[in-house]
Amino acid sequence: VITNIKRRLFYRRIDRIDKRLLFVLIFCLECFIFWLDYITTPALPPFTTFYLAPVIFAAFFLDKKPAYLMALAAAVEGSIVYQRLLTNFDLFLTGFDLLSKTVIFMTVTFLVLQLRKLLDYLEEQASVDYLTKASTRRCFYEMSNTELARSFRYKHPVTLVFMDIDNFKQVNDSQ
């Protein structure tokens, strides 16, 4: 439970960062990978799998358009490095490499976007009662732990109220 709370707090912190700044940071990471790939290509195998890190990060924390743009940029950068490996320019091989990397990166982006959507939906379902739209006990415990930690950190007083209404199910069922 604690690791889930820490993970969600990490996600929330990143979600609070301005999307434009996050896009620039992810793009810089992608350019850094491209640069490493470009300068080491003759000696090492291509870094194609490393391009997945910024693509996945963009798909998880950015909107659709920037995420797909990042995937396309990764495919183009990877293909530029691949083309450099060829002894002479071959349009078919370069085009096939670009197409295959584009399909792979776009598919990964789509899957990660769907995963993030599903995770957000499941978190909402776990924290809100379907019938009453009230917060669940689980949500109360998570929020109270967060608020207690904040009150200890800043040395502020805190008041928590938890109400349990007996036989409330009968009242709900009679409506």
Side-chain angles (χ1 to χ4, degrees), residues 18 90 108 113:
D18 183 23
D90 187 350
V108 168
L113 284 167

Side-chain angles (χ1 to χ4, degrees), residues 83-101:
Q83 194 277 327
R84 192 171 153 242
L85 285 174
L86 300 175
T87 53
N88 54 359
F89 182 76
D90 187 350
L91 183 63
F92 176 75
L93 288 178
T94 305
F96 182 76
D97 183 66
L98 178 63
L99 179 66
S100 63
K101 285 178 180 164

Side-chain angles (χ1 to χ4, degrees), residues 110-174:
F110 174 77
L111 292 173
V112 173
L113 284 167
Q114 294 301 314
L115 176 67
R116 177 63 192 251
K117 191 186 303 183
L118 181 63
L119 287 173
D120 290 343
Y121 174 75
L122 289 176
E123 184 177 340
E124 179 185 330
Q125 292 296 314
S127 61
V128 177
D129 182 61
Y130 176 73
L131 184 61
T132 63
K133 303 295 184 211
S135 296
T136 61
R137 178 182 297 203
R138 178 180 174 267
C139 181
F140 173 79
Y141 285 130
E142 288 179 5
M143 292 176 72
S144 63
N145 283 337
T146 303
E147 290 304 319
L148 284 173
R150 185 179 305 165
S151 72
F152 287 132
R153 186 178 335 126
Y154 296 116
K155 297 181 180 31
H156 290 234
V158 66
T159 303
L160 300 174
V161 177
F162 184 81
M163 293 176 24
D164 186 18
I165 302 171
D166 292 331
N167 302 321
F168 188 70
K169 182 173 178 358
Q170 292 172 351
V171 173
N172 257 349
D173 292 343
S174 68

